[in-house]
Amino acid sequence: MKDYNEVTIYDIAEKLNLATSTISRALKDHHTISKKTIAKVKKTAQEMGYRPNNLAASLRSKKSKAIGVLLPTITQPFLSSLISGIEIAARKAGYSVIIMQSHDKHKDEVDLTKLLYDHRVSGVICSLAMETEDAAHFQLFKESAIPLVFVDRVPKGFNTYRVVIDNYIAGYKATKHLIAQGCKHIAHLTIGSEFGTIYHERKRGYLDALKEHNLEVDDKYVIRVKEITYDEGARAVKKLLSLKNKPDGIFAPGDILGVSAIQTAKKMGVKVPEELAVIGFNDDPISRIIDPNLSTITHPAEKMGQAAAEIILNSLKSKTKDDIREIAFLNTEVIERESSKRN
Amino acid sequence: MKDYNEVTIYDIAEKLNLATSTISRALKDHHTISKKTIAKVKKTAQEMGYRPNNLAASLRSKKSKAIGVLLPTITQPFLSSLISGIEIAARKAGYSVIIMQSHDKHKDEVDLTKLLYDHRVSGVICSLAMETEDAAHFQLFKESAIPLVFVDRVPKGFNTYRVVIDNYIAGYKATKHLIAQGCKHIAHLTIGSEFGTIYHERKRGYLDALKEHNLEVDDKYVIRVKEITYDEGARAVKKLLSLKNKPDGIFAPGDILGVSAIQTAKKMGVKVPEELAVIGFNDDPISRIIDPNLSTITHPAEKMGQAAAEIILNSLKSKTKDDIREIAFLNTEVIERESSKRN
DNA sequence: TTGTAAGCGTTATCAA
DNA sequence: TTGATAACGCTTACAA
C-alpha cells in the first residue's frame, strides 16, 4: 500500500494556509472563490499529486456520481451498443456506469433494483426483463427522486422518463414496405406480453398496415414464439411455410428471427425474396451477413443510450422536481436489402 | 426524498440498547458476537428496513466493493460476453462492475486507469487498447496492491495476473486444420504490434505449422490489415486473390476478417472451400450465418470473464501479497464448418 | 472572499 | 462478548 502518501484536501489546506472548505470550493470552481486562489489551489493540488476521493464526496452528498444500468443481458448487439452510448455520455459528464444483468428474470430485476438503490446511484437506466409484469419495484427510485429512464422495453402505465422508438410506426413501416413489394399474405412473428409493449406495438402497426390496404388479417399468419432464438424462429417459420396457403411475406420483429426465416425458407426450397419476402428488425450485424441480406428496421441503440444518459444528467442538473416525464422518440428507417427486393 | 427514514446502524443500536460497533459486527457475523445477539440484530435490522450504506463502508475501509473493467469497446461479441462473465461472477460475490471503454486509444486508457484508481475499485480487469505500447499506466495498481488482471490483449513483460488462451497453439491448430484439408499455400492476415502479443502469437503458430509440414512460407501470403473491419478484410483478400499464385487457404485471426474473406472470394468467383478454404477466429454469431458457414476457433469469452473475476476475488480474500502471478490458460478448439471442409 | 465546524454511516482500535 | 470513540475525506451551513 502507499496509503501513507494519499494526499487529501487537508494536506493542501495546510500547505497553503487555507481552510479545507476553501480548497474544496476552489477545486470545483466555486464562484465565491477568487480566481487567484483557485489557480493556486489547483496548481498545488496538481503538484502534490492530489486525487479526489469520490467515496467521501459521495457519502457526504449522498449521491455517488454513478449511473446504474439494469438490462436483461449485455450480449445482444442492441444492448451492448446501448451501453456503449450510455458510457460515452456518462463519462463525458464525469459519471461512471455500473451495469447489472437481470437475465430476463423478474426476481433478479427486483433484487438488483435494491442493490442499485443501496449503491446510491444518481440515476438508473433500465430495459425490462421479459418476465416482468409490473413496475412496483421501481417505486423506490421515484420516492427517492432518483431519475429513472426506461429504454426500449418500457413498462405500461408507470410514469417516468422513457427513451423509445415508435414501435407502432416501425411495425407499420415494415409491413407497408412488404406491401409495396407486392406481398399479399403477410405473416408476423410475435412474443412477449402487453406489459413490455414493444412487440405488442409492432404487431399493432403490422395489423393496421394490413387493414389500411384491405389485406387479409388472418390469425394463422401470426405466430407466437417463446423466445428470440434461431430454433424458435425456425419452428415458427416451418409452420408458416407448411400451410396450404403459404404467406408471401414475413415481418419478423427481430433480426435473429428474420435470419432464421431466410434460412428456413432456403432449406425448404422457398425462394427469398421471390416467393417469400422477409424483413427483420434491429439492423444487427448478422442482417448484413445472411444471404440474401436481410431487410430490416434501424434501431438506433447508441443514440438511445446517449439520450437516456443525457436525460438523467439534465434531470440532475435542473433539480426541478419536474413531473413532466420526458419521452424521447427516436426515428427508425426501413433498410431495404435483398431479402425483400421484388421490384 | 425519503431520507428522513433512512435507517442506520445507529438507529438499530438505539432500539436494541447496544453499541453501533456491536451492530456493525453482528451484521457481518463477526465471531466475537454471540449467536443470540447476531440473530436479534439481524431480525430488527430486517424489521426496521435497514439497508447498508456501501459508500460509508467503502470510505472507512478504503475499498469499494467494485471491480473496474477497462476494455477497448463493449460492442464486440467477444468483449460483451467477457463482461457478462465478469458481471455474473462479481455479482455472486456481492461486487459491482464498473465499465469503461478506451475505444482503443492509448490516452483514454491512461486517463481511465486514473479514474478507476480514484474510484477505489477493489480490482481491475483490462484488455489493452490496440494503440497501447507500454503498461506504465498500470503501475499505480501494483503500488497500491490492487489486483489487476489482463484478459486477452495482455501486455508483454508486465508481471500481473492474466487470463488468456494460448494464441500460439490456437494459430497452430487453425493452420494445421487447413493443412489437413489439403491446403498447400496458406495465407494469413495479421494486425497489431508485438506488445499486445495475441495476433503476433497467432502468426507464430501459423508459421510454425507451415514449417513443420515443409510448406512454403512466403511473405506475400502474410498481409497486414490496419483494423479489423470488413473493408480491411476485403482489401487484403482481394490482394491475395489477385496474385498469380493464389493461396488455397486463409487463416484469418478474427471472424470479421474470415467472413470478409468468404464474401470477397465469392465476389471474385473463387469457390469456398474448393478453391479457397477459410478459417476464422472467435466463433462470433456471424460465423454461423455466412454461407458457407465459417470454420473458426473457439474463444471462451464468458468463461474468461468469470476466471478473471474469480482471480480478483481470491486475491482479495487471501490477502497474501503473492508474487506468484497466476496465468489462466483456457482451452480452444477448432470448429470445423463448411468454409474449410474439403475431405 | 474565506474560515469554522458539524456531519455523512461505517469500521476499527482500545478498553471494559 | 460488548462498548466508547476516533477516524475515513469530503461538503455545506453559518460565521467572519
Side-chain angles (χ1 to χ4, degrees), chain A residues 84-85 87-89 91 302, chain B residues 70-75 100-106 108-109 112 127-131:
Chain A
S84 180
E87 198 269 347
I88 291 169
R91 176 82 42 243
E302 195 158 304
Chain B
L70 177 46
L71 304 174
T73 162
I74 62 186
T75 56
M100 304 190 171
Q101 309 186 76
S102 69
H103 296 289
D104 275 320
K105 304 274 176 248
H106 176 71
D108 287 17
E109 194 174 86
L112 294 174
S127 189
L128 287 176
M130 203 61 114
E131 277 185 15

Side-chain angles (χ1 to χ4, degrees), chain B residues 186-198:
Chain B
I186 300 174
H188 178 53
L189 309 183
T190 190
I191 185 175
S193 70
E194 277 189 40
F195 186 72
T197 61
I198 64 171

Side-chain angles (χ1 to χ4, degrees), chain A residues 130 153 187-194 197-207 219 221-229 232-233 235-237 240 250-254 257:
Chain A
M130 203 62 114
R153 288 185 47 77
H188 177 55
L189 309 182
T190 190
I191 186 175
S193 70
E194 277 190 40
T197 61
I198 65 172
Y199 297 105
H200 188 251
E201 287 295 297
R202 289 174 198 175
K203 182 173 154 195
R204 280 214 308 121
Y206 155 79
L207 291 174
D219 278 356
Y221 285 158
V222 177
I223 305 230
R224 174 165 290 273
V225 295
K226 289 191 197 70
E227 39 179 24
I228 299 188
T229 60
E232 271 292 285
R235 188 189 58 75
V237 174
L240 284 170
I250 294 186
F251 164 39
L257 298 176

